[in-house]
Amino acid sequence: MRISSSALLVFSLSVPLATQAVAQDASPNKAKNVILLISDGAGINTWHAASYYRHGALGHEVYDDFDIKLFASTHPLNTSNVPTHSQDGAVTFDAEKIWGKDKSDSVFKGSLGNYPGYFSGYDYLRADYTDSAAAATALASGHKTYNNAINWSNDNQKLKHIGEYAVENGKALGVITSVQWSHATPAGFLAHNASRNDYAAIGKEIIESGLATVVMGSGHPFYDQNGQAIKPKNDKAYRYVGGKEEWDRLIAGKTAYKHIETKADFIALADGKLNMGNKSKLMGTVQNNATLQFNRDGVSAGNLLPNQPDLATMTKGALNLVAKNPNGFLLMVEGGAVDWAAHANNLPRLIEEQIDFNLAVEAVANWVEENSSWDETLVIVTTDHGNGLLQGPDSNTHAYSDIVNQGAGALPLVRWHTDTHTRELVPVYAKGPGADFLTNVAKPNPGLATYHVPEESQHFVDNTDIFRTVANAFGIATPQAK
């Protein structure tokens, strides 16, 4: 989809769908399990658009009933792509500047076209934004770092992530995503690398470390973006799965992992009927080299690829494996292609991907209520950053105007203001033991009233506080960089 942001995007009903260490508040054993769900690149209006399309109103998603509802800042340490070994270029963040309504005649040059500035607040949000690697590192390690880093510091040092802490404390680790399992967000909970783009090395580390009990995602070298079988052209086709040699070892059963790839096997795992043979760990690579669904041909929603599992099915399967650990688990679930749809300014598929994510959240909530309890399992639902600066159709004249609900099954009326990431304050929802840590560290920001949230939700934490919340909930003491 190639639409200039200067044009009103009105979709008709006919469109288908490390310097100073501090100790954690290490109250022991608050939570047995933590489940963190990340809708990649989902600003507040991504959540709203999906709810409008799905329910015709806000307030009907399972996370809307969570105890804690606030926001998070997401800026990186700096916007370099390599370690700088200095404070030069460090990003500063002033949440008050988000809401600036001074007229702006700037032009933001995006990949899809040029986006007029309109307001100073928009300009502020489109500057100095994080990438998914630095954001994943903040969420997983509690450290701000440079863009491009996977648990790697600006001083060129490896950073320990929450998955490692969880496993050290006897818990199982699970990581699943709707994009390649070596991509930035899943890699943040599994690996370390100075560059997110070193997929083969990241994939190899994920397999050879054996850290996780279960890993699932795409990146299959023998399938295209439409789930059609292909013959790999060269070794580059294996980059998302650790390289050809590592892939050959994986599918031959020569690693710690049982490998699955068919939709039937993902369903069997979700139903508790998959034969694991002599393996206790599982790697699932769906039959697609790109995403579960987003990268298929066309731009409209619907007509889903029939041979792909959905994120909810993968989530249920992952829970069946990690829950076998009597000491509990950490599970990260990513709706990764939400971000890809926002980069494309593709509203139908943005909503489609967000709904797929929301169904995974529902699967998690159902699992907690049927197999655990809200007294022993903490669930956090959030995003790593905004993308697209999606606003209402008249947001060129009225700053931060609401997107327009057209009822269930109809696309809301919107306007895009960029085709890349933003540093807007993004939603955080939490429920379960340790969730109140977020409210204890949150700072007020009355400007959030713009989103029509109650006063108690007009607060924000930093994305590094998500790491601290998880560690605190587990009762794990960690050195933490301010």
Side-chain angles (χ1 to χ4, degrees):
M1 181 173 287
R2 295 292 185 271
I3 303 176
S4 168
S5 70
S6 60
L8 177 62
L9 297 192
V10 178
F11 291 84
S12 71
L13 299 183
S14 63
V15 180
L17 237 129
T19 54
Q20 181 177 352
V22 297
Q24 289 298 114
D25 173 16
S27 303
N29 302 321
K30 285 186 176 182
K32 178 181 180 181
N33 314 306
V34 174
I35 306 172
L36 173 61
L37 300 105
I38 300 170
S39 177
D40 196 299
I44 184 67
N45 282 320
T46 295
W47 307 78
H48 287 175
S51 289
Y52 285 148
Y53 188 91
R54 188 180 181 199
H55 303 290
L58 303 180
H60 296 284
E61 304 291 356
V62 65
Y63 48 74
D64 288 318
D65 293 327
F66 281 15
D67 302 323
I68 305 297
K69 289 174 279 189
L70 35 68
F71 293 80
S73 54
T74 66
H75 53 285
L77 178 65
N78 61 57
T79 58
S80 172
N81 287 322
V82 295
T84 68
H85 302 273
S86 77
Q87 293 299 310
D88 295 344
V91 171
T92 59
F93 181 71
D94 182 350
E96 298 304 320
K97 291 185 178 180
I98 293 173
W99 314 111
K101 296 182 179 181
D102 292 340
K103 297 291 185 179
S104 171
D105 58 2
S106 69
V107 175
F108 182 85
K109 295 182 179 181
S111 298
L112 303 182
N114 294 334
Y115 299 80
Y118 297 122
F119 300 101
S120 60
Y122 294 0
D123 287 341
Y124 189 74
L125 292 184
R126 289 181 292 209
D128 295 336
Y129 51 81
T130 188
D131 80 333
S132 291
T137 298
L139 292 166
S141 77
H143 291 258
K144 294 285 191 182
T145 190
Y146 64 94
N147 283 342
N148 210 38
I150 299 292
N151 296 314
W152 208 264
S153 79
N154 193 48
D155 294 324
N156 205 32
Q157 300 294 316
K158 183 185 294 188
L159 297 171
K160 189 173 181 178
H161 60 77
I162 191 63
E164 294 172 293
Y165 282 110
V167 172
E168 280 184 3
N169 281 266
K171 297 182 181 295
L173 172 64
V175 176
I176 65 175
T177 178
S178 60
V179 301
Q180 296 97 343
W181 48 257
S182 57
H183 219 260
T185 304
F189 293 81
L190 292 166
H192 315 80
N193 203 288
S195 173
R196 61 177 291 175
N197 296 313
D198 194 358
Y199 295 109
I202 290 168
K204 185 173 183 178
E205 180 184 352
I206 291 169
I207 296 171
E208 292 192 346
S209 72
L211 185 70
T213 295
V214 57
V215 177
M216 300 183 195
S218 66
H220 202 299
F222 285 84
Y223 290 85
D224 66 12
Q225 74 275 11
N226 293 307
Q228 297 296 311
I230 59 171
K231 184 177 180 180
K233 293 180 180 179
N234 49 48
D235 285 356
K236 187 178 179 181
Y238 298 86
R239 65 192 181 279
Y240 297 119
V241 292
K244 186 179 187 306
E245 182 179 349
E246 199 68 23
W247 172 257
D248 289 344
R249 292 182 64 247
L250 176 65
I251 62 174
K254 295 179 180 180
T255 74
Y257 293 95
K258 175 182 177 65
H259 184 261
I260 64 171
E261 61 179 59
T262 67
K263 182 178 180 179
D265 276 350
F266 282 98
I267 292 173
L269 180 64
D271 292 341
K273 298 177 180 179
L274 183 71
N275 183 354
M276 291 289 291
N278 63 349
K279 304 283 189 181
S280 61
K281 297 182 178 183
L282 180 137
M283 183 80 63
T285 309
V286 303
Q287 293 175 336
N288 199 300
N289 66 16
T291 65
L292 297 184
Q293 296 290 346
F294 172 73
N295 279 74
R296 70 192 187 277
D297 289 346
V299 295
S300 62
N303 298 313
L304 297 176
L305 302 178
N307 62 333
Q308 311 294 308
D310 58 20
L311 195 60
T313 298
M314 295 165 69
T315 300
K316 293 173 188 175
L319 284 166
N320 281 341
L321 288 180
V322 294
K324 292 180 179 180
N325 188 319
N327 298 318
F329 62 82
L330 169 65
L331 175 64
M332 194 287 291
V333 178
E334 185 205 17
V338 176
D339 185 59
W340 300 30
H343 278 299
N345 284 185
N346 187 328
L347 184 64
R349 290 200 178 175
L350 180 85
I351 290 171
E352 181 178 82
E353 292 293 334
Q354 182 66 32
I355 290 175
D356 185 59
F357 173 82
N358 288 350
L359 290 171
V361 181
E362 289 182 14
V364 163
N366 289 337
W367 181 89
V368 172
E369 291 169 1
E370 295 173 6
N371 300 281
S372 178
S373 74
W374 293 107
D375 293 325
E376 72 172 14
T377 299
L378 168 65
V379 177
I380 302 172
V381 180
T382 188
T383 181
D384 53 351
H385 52 72
N387 189 341
L389 196 54
L390 191 65
Q391 303 294 328
D394 66 345
S395 54
N396 57 328
T397 57
H398 297 86
Y400 298 106
S401 67
D402 297 333
I403 63 173
V404 177
N405 179 19
Q406 294 205 117
L411 295 173
L413 307 183
V414 308
R415 183 185 290 269
W416 299 92
H417 291 277
T418 183
D419 56 16
T420 193
H421 301 178
T422 63
R423 56 173 167 174
E424 62 197 283
L425 298 176
V426 296
V428 180
Y429 309 87
K431 182 176 181 178
D436 56 355
F437 185 92
L438 290 164
T439 56
N440 293 337
V441 300
K443 297 178 287 189
N445 185 264
L448 287 164
T450 301
Y451 299 147
H452 313 295
V453 297
E455 186 174 356
E456 61 267 24
S457 293
Q458 294 170 24
H459 292 75
F460 74 98
V461 298
D462 187 66
N463 55 3
T464 55
D465 291 320
I466 303 296
F467 165 85
R468 297 171 62 210
T469 301
V470 176
N472 179 71
F474 277 148
I476 297 173
T478 68
Q480 181 71 18
K482 273 191 172 181

